[in-house]
Amino acid sequence: MATSKNDWKTAWITGASSGIGLELARLLDGKVDHVALSARSQDKLDTLAGQCKTVVSYPLDVTDADAVAASVGDIEVAAGPIDLAVLNAGAWQLMDIADLDLSAIRAGIEVNYMGVVHAIDALLPGMLARGAGHIAIVASVAGYRGLPRSVAYGPTKAALINLAETLRTELEPRGITISLVNPGFVDTPMTQDNPFPMPGIISAREAAQNLLAGLKRGKYEIIFPRAFVMAMKALRLLPNAAFFWVARTFLLKKPS
Ligand SMILES: NC(=O)c1ccc[n+]([C@@H]2O[C@H](COP(=O)([O-])OP(=O)(O)OC[C@H]3O[C@@H](n4cnc5c(N)ncnc54)[C@H](OP(=O)(O)O)[C@@H]3O)[C@@H](O)[C@H]2O)c1
């Protein structure tokens, strides 16, 4: 197992204005010299920065490649090389296949997948030149198998899981650590309107604690809550016929 040097001086978190990213920022504050936060909501980032010691906000939209590159440049001028990047910005939309909405699907790809690619594009030249760095990609258990009503979300997370494998294989020998974060249900603004049961749901604070513990150990796949994610992993091992039966029987039914 590759180990992270775990001596990060500058960390960058995207999607840090709420939920998991916000709690991770709080955990890193004061323990890392510079914690740069990005999301679109400048007001929320500034409020958080005002409550912290080593946090600075760099508002941006991850779908804007130029803005992402500019912020990475600004962070590195102000705080030195980014040692740890947690690419966590994401958007979720429940969608019945009968209500297929192309623009929402495209938006999901732009935020969840291209947002991560934009950040990697901006980070890689510096990390490759230094032969060092740690990039964590926040995907989801929704990327393990195709789940009902997840057409605008699950495929983007499956793409990230695949991307992380490619990056890990190519970049590990060049000194760059890649982590893949696959959360189960976490109590954040993203999940607050979900109209279905969310087994094993944990708080954003607990999620961030698990995430940070995994990063410190240089783990490849970081999962939480463990029991639920292991159950979702088991779905990957089922033969297709068995998986489709489980999905139709237990996951397709709409809550009354
Ligand atoms: N909560 C769960 O159960 C769960 C489960 C599996 C995976 N995840 C993943 O965990 C990550 C964090 O989600 P969360 O649960 O903490 O949800 P959240 O509280 O809704 O956080 C999402 C973050 O992404 C930011 N964001 C959204 N669109 C953006 C854009 N275009 N540009 C920049 N930032 C953007 C949001 O900030 P602004 O709106 O201010 O831009 C916010 O800071 C996501 O990738 C999500 O898919 C969550």
Side-chain angles (χ1 to χ4, degrees):
M1 183 184 75
T3 53
S4 174
K5 292 200 188 79
N6 203 7
D7 54 358
W8 311 303
K9 290 191 170 46
T10 300
W12 177 44
I13 307 169
T14 69
S17 63
S18 64
I20 300 168
L22 180 148
E23 291 298 338
L24 181 64
R26 288 198 168 123
L27 291 177
L28 287 175
D29 179 42
K31 298 183 190 69
V32 173
D33 295 348
H34 308 278
V35 184
L37 305 185
S38 293
R40 291 164 305 177
S41 308
Q42 177 161 13
D43 52 339
K44 292 183 190 165
L45 295 178
D46 288 347
T47 300
L48 180 58
Q51 297 164 350
C52 294
K53 294 190 278 281
T54 59
V55 167
V56 177
S57 65
Y58 292 84
L60 56 76
D61 186 327
V62 294
T63 66
D64 181 342
D66 292 339
V68 172
S71 283
V72 166
D74 290 347
I75 295 164
E76 297 203 327
V77 166
I82 294 170
D83 311 298
L84 171 67
V86 182
L87 308 180
N88 165 75
W92 147 249
Q93 185 174 342
L94 191 75
M95 191 184 292
D96 279 324
I97 201 70
D99 301 325
L100 196 74
D101 176 345
L102 285 186
S103 63
I105 290 176
R106 210 168 267 127
I109 293 169
E110 286 295 325
V111 176
N112 294 352
Y113 184 71
M114 290 309 297
V116 167
V117 173
H118 293 157
I120 288 166
D121 181 53
L123 289 163
L124 264 192
M127 288 189 173
L128 285 171
R130 294 189 294 280
H134 189 159
I135 298 173
I137 294 173
V138 180
S140 168
V141 295
Y144 286 159
R145 292 208 76 151
L147 303 176
R149 294 186 288 160
S150 193
V151 65
Y153 183 77
T156 68
K157 297 299 188 175
L160 290 178
I161 291 170
N162 189 294
L163 174 71
E165 288 179 0
T166 297
L167 294 176
R168 171 85 172 192
T169 306
E170 290 200 51
L171 295 176
E172 206 70 19
R174 304 183 71 169
I176 299 169
T177 303
I178 299 293
S179 293
L180 168 68
V181 185
N182 281 326
F185 290 116
V186 182
D187 187 6
T188 69
M190 183 175 281
T191 51
Q192 67 189 3
D193 296 327
N194 278 349
F196 48 77
M198 292 184 275
I201 190 165
I202 58 173
S203 70
R205 180 79 175 178
E206 193 178 344
Q209 286 166 337
N210 279 280
L211 203 173
L212 183 55
L215 293 176
K216 284 181 173 173
R217 290 171 55 202
K219 282 189 74 172
Y220 174 61
E221 188 178 12
I222 301 170
I223 60 171
F224 47 83
R226 191 170 176 76
F228 178 73
V229 177
M230 292 310 284
M232 294 300 288
K233 272 180 181 290
L235 288 183
R236 285 204 299 199
L237 304 176
L238 288 181
N240 288 332
F243 166 72
F244 290 129
W245 181 83
V246 169
R248 269 196 312 270
T249 309
F250 298 105
L251 307 177
L252 187 58
K253 205 171 48 170
K254 284 192 184 179
S256 44

